[in-house]
Amino acid sequence: PGEVVLDVEGVTIHNDQRKKDSVKDVTFQVHGGEIVCLAGIEGNGQTEFVYGLTGLEKLTNGKITLDGKDITHATIRQRSKDGMSHIPEDRHKHGLVLDYSLEDNIVLQRYFEPQFTNKLGFLKRKEIRKYANRLIEQYDIRSGQGAITKARSMSGGNQQKAIIAREIDKDPKLLVAVQPTRGLDVGAIEYIHKQIVAER
């Protein structure tokens, strides 16, 4: 393992509905080149912890440092810019905009970068299509009409491959993957495991 990439100190997240802490005083470190797993029965706070880590939920207490930078109060976009990628538990709720095309979903977190947007703020459609086509080929994403396919019409496995392609191609410092193979066939599961190991 390399240097510390993620430092989680005393993270607590209060659940207002249950009137108790769903995450209580969690502390650990993740080093470069490590795959660290959190395991437990559903409902034991893993989902809330990931929400806090990725910025989907505010922390009640504690501190999160990514590659030496305090991101405890950073926005989701800022965490993404700072090198965090997130393969969410629910690909429909947090992973994709189902009525967007595959190419728009692929640049969802990067559309504002100069590679995809000109100085006036207009999208560079040709560049987006070129980038999407590269990822479609590289990650073997199967869709009926290629880059212009609506995400909703794709199989679950190919929707998941699209999210994985988008998140891994950002070359993140930290990849947060929550049940990335849930509900997928054996071939897709093996493919996704290989991608995660290769990214390590």
Side-chain angles (χ1 to χ4, degrees):
E3 297 292 313
V4 173
V5 174
L6 176 69
D7 196 357
V8 174
E9 293 177 64
V11 165
T12 299
I13 299 169
H14 189 74
N15 186 319
D16 292 333
Q17 290 169 322
R18 291 191 195 157
K19 307 254 189 292
K20 65 175 190 172
D21 294 336
S22 48
V23 177
K24 193 172 182 180
D25 198 25
V26 173
T27 299
F28 66 92
Q29 291 183 329
V30 180
H31 295 255
E34 278 188 325
I35 294 178
V36 175
C37 299
L38 297 182
I41 298 164
E42 199 158 319
N44 277 2
Q46 299 94 313
T47 299
E48 290 85 349
F49 174 75
V50 170
Y51 283 8
L53 178 62
T54 57
L56 287 163
E57 206 167 292
K58 285 188 171 25
L59 305 185
T60 309
N61 208 350
K63 182 180 176 185
I64 300 170
T65 309
L66 177 63
D67 205 29
K69 183 177 179 183
D70 185 348
I71 60 160
T72 310
H73 304 291
T75 62
I76 294 169
R77 180 184 281 193
Q78 192 56 53
R79 288 171 207 234
S80 178
K81 283 179 168 180
D82 289 339
M84 181 185 289
S85 280
H86 179 208
I87 299 167
E89 184 173 6
D90 187 334
R91 58 180 162 262
H92 293 162
K93 189 175 177 184
H94 294 124
L96 300 164
V97 179
L98 292 173
D99 290 322
Y100 278 17
S101 65
L102 176 54
E103 65 186 6
D104 285 346
N105 272 290
I106 280 176
V107 294
L108 208 52
Q109 295 168 319
R110 300 179 65 182
Y111 68 89
F112 50 83
E113 292 178 8
Q115 181 186 349
F116 304 120
T117 304
N118 67 22
K119 286 177 183 167
L120 298 172
F122 290 102
L123 295 175
K124 297 179 183 173
R125 280 280 162 204
K126 278 185 185 168
E127 289 303 313
I128 290 171
R129 176 85 34 99
K130 199 164 98 180
Y131 176 68
N133 284 334
R134 178 174 72 74
L135 292 196
I136 287 166
E137 192 176 326
Q138 188 180 332
Y139 289 85
D140 191 30
I141 304 165
R142 297 181 187 182
S143 54
Q145 298 168 283
I148 61 165
T149 307
K150 287 266 187 285
R152 185 181 297 283
S153 69
M154 293 163 55
S155 72
N158 285 300
Q159 288 177 348
Q160 192 72 353
K161 280 183 184 177
I163 294 168
I164 284 162
R166 178 184 73 207
E167 298 304 322
I168 287 179
D169 202 70
K170 285 165 39 185
D171 194 23
K173 294 170 186 168
L174 176 73
L175 176 63
V176 180
V178 188
Q179 302 200 29
T181 59
R182 178 191 264 175
L184 303 183
D185 63 66
V186 175
I189 288 169
E190 187 186 4
Y191 176 83
I192 287 161
H193 283 168
K194 279 182 178 167
Q195 293 299 326
I196 291 169
V197 171
E199 185 60 11
R200 175 191 64 182

